[in-house]
Coordinates of all heavy atoms in Angstrom, one line a residue:
S6 N 11.1 8.4 -16.9 CA 10.5 8.3 -15.6 C 11.7 8.6 -14.5 O 12.9 8.5 -14.9 CB 9.9 6.8 -15.4 OG 11.0 5.9 -15.4
A7 N 11.3 8.8 -13.3 CA 12.3 8.9 -12.2 C 11.7 8.3 -10.9 O 10.6 8.4 -10.7 CB 12.7 10.4 -12.1
S8 N 12.6 7.6 -10.2 CA 12.2 7.0 -9.0 C 12.3 7.8 -7.9 O 13.2 8.7 -7.6 CB 13.0 5.7 -8.8 OG 12.8 4.8 -9.8
I9 N 11.2 7.8 -7.0 CA 11.2 8.6 -5.7 C 11.0 7.4 -4.6 O 10.2 6.5 -4.7 CB 10.0 9.5 -5.7 CG1 10.0 10.4 -6.9 CG2 9.9 10.2 -4.3 CD1 11.1 11.5 -6.8
E10 N 11.8 7.7 -3.5 CA 11.7 6.8 -2.5 C 10.5 7.0 -1.7 O 10.2 8.2 -1.2 CB 13.0 6.9 -1.6 CG 14.3 6.4 -2.1 CD 15.3 6.5 -1.2 OE1 15.1 6.8 0.0 OE2 16.5 6.2 -1.5
V11 N 9.7 5.9 -1.4 CA 8.4 6.1 -0.9 C 8.5 6.5 0.5 O 9.5 6.2 1.3 CB 7.6 4.7 -1.1 CG1 8.2 3.6 -0.1 CG2 6.1 4.9 -0.6
S12 N 7.5 7.3 1.0 CA 7.4 7.6 2.4 C 6.2 7.1 3.0 O 5.1 6.7 2.2 CB 7.5 9.2 2.6 OG 6.4 9.7 2.0
R13 N 6.0 7.0 4.2 CA 4.7 6.7 4.8 C 3.7 7.8 4.4 O 4.0 9.0 4.4 CB 4.8 6.7 6.3 CG 5.3 7.8 7.1 CD 5.7 7.5 8.5 NE 4.5 7.0 9.3 CZ 4.0 7.8 10.3 NH1 4.6 8.9 10.5 NH2 2.8 7.5 10.9
V14 N 2.4 7.5 4.4 CA 1.4 8.3 3.9 C 1.2 9.5 4.9 O 0.9 10.7 4.6 CB 0.0 7.6 3.6 CG1 -1.0 8.6 3.3 CG2 0.2 6.5 2.6
G15 N 1.3 9.2 6.1 CA 1.0 10.1 7.1 C 0.6 9.4 8.5 O 1.0 8.3 8.7
A16 N -0.3 10.1 9.3 CA -0.7 9.3 10.5 C -1.3 8.0 10.1 O -1.8 7.8 9.0 CB -1.6 10.2 11.3
Q17 N -1.4 7.1 11.1 CA -1.8 5.7 10.9 C -3.3 5.8 10.3 O -3.6 4.9 9.4 CB -1.7 4.9 12.0 CG -2.2 3.4 11.7 CD -1.2 2.8 10.8 OE1 -0.2 2.9 10.6 NE2 -1.9 1.9 10.0
T18 N -4.1 6.6 10.9 CA -5.5 6.7 10.4 C -5.7 7.1 9.1 O -6.5 6.7 8.3 CB -6.3 7.7 11.4 OG1 -5.6 8.9 11.3 CG2 -6.4 7.2 12.8
V19 N -4.7 7.9 8.5 CA -4.7 8.5 7.2 C -4.2 7.3 6.3 O -4.9 7.0 5.3 CB -3.9 9.6 7.0 CG1 -3.8 10.0 5.5 CG2 -4.4 10.9 7.8
A20 N -3.1 6.6 6.7 CA -2.6 5.5 5.9 C -3.5 4.4 5.6 O -3.5 3.7 4.6 CB -1.3 5.1 6.5
S21 N -4.3 4.1 6.8 CA -5.2 3.0 6.7 C -6.5 3.4 6.1 O -7.4 2.6 6.0 CB -5.4 2.3 8.0 OG -5.9 3.3 9.0
A22 N -6.8 4.6 5.8 CA -8.1 5.1 5.4 C -8.7 4.3 4.2 O -9.9 3.9 4.2 CB -8.0 6.6 4.9
P23 N -7.9 4.1 3.3 CA -8.6 3.3 2.1 C -8.9 1.9 2.4 O -9.6 1.2 1.5 CB -7.4 3.4 0.9 CG -6.5 4.4 1.3 CD -6.5 4.4 2.9
F24 N -8.6 1.3 3.5 CA -8.6 -0.1 3.8 C -9.4 -0.4 5.1 O -8.7 -0.6 6.1 CB -7.2 -0.7 3.8 CG -6.2 -0.4 2.7 CD1 -5.1 0.6 2.9 CD2 -6.5 -0.7 1.4 CE1 -4.3 0.8 1.8 CE2 -5.7 -0.4 0.3 CZ -4.6 0.4 0.6
P25 N -10.7 -0.4 5.0 CA -11.4 -0.8 6.2 C -11.0 -2.0 6.8 O -11.2 -2.2 8.1 CB -12.8 -0.7 5.7 CG -12.9 0.2 4.6 CD -11.5 -0.1 3.9
D26 N -10.7 -3.1 6.1 CA -10.3 -4.3 6.6 C -9.3 -4.9 5.5 O -9.1 -4.5 4.5 CB -11.4 -5.2 6.9 CG -12.3 -5.5 5.7 OD1 -11.8 -5.9 4.7 OD2 -13.5 -5.2 5.8
D27 N -8.9 -6.1 5.9 CA -7.9 -6.8 5.1 C -8.3 -7.1 3.6 O -7.6 -7.4 2.7 CB -7.2 -8.0 5.7 CG -6.1 -7.7 6.8 OD1 -5.9 -6.5 6.8 OD2 -5.8 -8.4 7.7
G28 N -9.6 -7.3 3.6 CA -10.3 -7.7 2.3 C -10.0 -6.6 1.2 O -10.1 -7.0 0.0
Y29 N -9.6 -5.4 1.6 CA -9.4 -4.3 0.7 C -8.0 -4.3 0.1 O -7.6 -3.4 -0.6 CB -9.8 -3.0 1.4 CG -11.3 -2.7 1.5 CD1 -12.1 -3.4 2.4 CD2 -11.9 -1.8 0.8 CE1 -13.4 -3.1 2.7 CE2 -13.4 -1.6 1.0 CZ -14.0 -2.1 1.9 OH -15.4 -1.8 2.1
R30 N -7.2 -5.2 0.8 CA -5.7 -5.0 0.4 C -5.2 -6.0 -0.6 O -3.9 -6.2 -0.5 CB -4.9 -5.2 1.8 CG -5.3 -4.1 2.9 CD -4.5 -4.3 4.1 NE -4.8 -3.3 5.1 CZ -4.1 -2.2 5.2 NH1 -3.1 -1.8 4.4 NH2 -4.3 -1.2 6.2
A31 N -6.1 -6.5 -1.5 CA -5.4 -7.5 -2.4 C -4.4 -6.7 -3.3 O -3.4 -7.5 -3.7 CB -6.5 -7.9 -3.4
A32 N -4.6 -5.6 -3.7 CA -3.5 -4.9 -4.5 C -2.3 -4.7 -3.8 O -1.0 -4.8 -4.4 CB -4.1 -3.6 -5.1
E33 N -2.4 -4.3 -2.5 CA -1.1 -4.2 -1.7 C -0.4 -5.4 -1.6 O 0.8 -5.5 -1.7 CB -1.6 -3.7 -0.4 CG -0.5 -3.1 0.6 CD -1.0 -2.7 1.9 OE1 -1.5 -3.5 2.6 OE2 -0.8 -1.5 2.1
R34 N -1.0 -6.5 -1.6 CA -0.3 -7.8 -1.5 C 0.2 -8.2 -2.8 O 1.4 -8.8 -2.8 CB -1.4 -9.1 -0.9 CG -1.8 -8.7 0.4 CD -2.5 -10.1 0.9 NE -3.9 -10.2 0.3 CZ -5.0 -9.7 0.7 NH1 -5.0 -8.9 1.9 NH2 -6.2 -9.9 0.0
A35 N -0.5 -7.9 -3.9 CA 0.1 -8.1 -5.2 C 1.3 -7.4 -5.5 O 2.3 -8.0 -5.9 CB -1.0 -7.9 -6.3
F36 N 1.3 -6.2 -5.1 CA 2.5 -5.2 -5.3 C 3.7 -5.7 -4.4 O 4.9 -5.5 -4.8 CB 2.3 -3.7 -5.1 CG 1.8 -3.0 -6.3 CD1 0.4 -3.4 -6.8 CD2 2.5 -2.2 -7.0 CE1 -0.2 -2.7 -7.9 CE2 2.0 -1.4 -8.0 CZ 0.7 -1.8 -8.5
A37 N 3.5 -6.3 -3.2 CA 4.5 -6.7 -2.4 C 5.2 -7.9 -2.8 O 6.2 -8.2 -2.3 CB 3.9 -6.9 -0.9
A38 N 4.5 -8.7 -3.7 CA 5.1 -10.0 -4.1 C 6.5 -9.8 -4.9 O 6.6 -8.7 -5.7 CB 4.3 -10.7 -5.0
A39 N 7.6 -10.5 -4.5 CA 8.8 -10.2 -5.1 C 8.8 -10.2 -6.6 O 9.6 -9.7 -7.4 CB 9.9 -11.2 -4.6
S40 N 7.9 -11.1 -7.2 CA 7.8 -11.3 -8.6 C 6.9 -10.4 -9.4 O 6.8 -10.5 -10.7 CB 7.5 -12.8 -9.0 OG 6.1 -13.1 -8.4
F41 N 6.4 -9.5 -8.7 CA 5.3 -8.6 -9.4 C 5.9 -7.9 -10.5 O 5.3 -7.8 -11.6 CB 4.7 -7.7 -8.4 CG 3.5 -6.9 -9.0 CD1 2.4 -7.6 -9.2 CD2 3.6 -5.6 -9.3 CE1 1.2 -6.9 -9.8 CE2 2.5 -4.8 -9.8 CZ 1.3 -5.6 -10.1
F42 N 7.1 -7.2 -10.3 CA 7.9 -6.5 -11.2 C 9.0 -7.4 -11.7 O 9.9 -7.7 -10.9 CB 8.3 -5.2 -11.0 CG 7.1 -4.2 -10.7 CD1 6.9 -3.7 -9.4 CD2 6.5 -3.7 -11.9 CE1 5.9 -2.8 -9.3 CE2 5.4 -2.9 -11.6 CZ 5.2 -2.3 -10.3

């Protein structure tokens, strides 16, 4: 494996496309937790 520094997805409308509201963001919150990895 090799690490790549993440970039923003694109325009804000594209970045938020998968998430119509905060109820869709459970995985995002999980990955953001300091203890996830």
Side-chain angles (χ1 to χ4, degrees):
S6 70
S8 294
I9 303 294
E10 290 183 5
V11 70
S12 67
R13 56 192 293 250
V14 177
Q17 183 59 35
T18 53
V19 175
S21 63
F24 311 112
D26 59 53
D27 284 346
Y29 288 72
R30 295 182 180 271
E33 194 175 64
R34 292 193 290 272
F36 272 68
S40 60
F41 188 71
F42 292 113

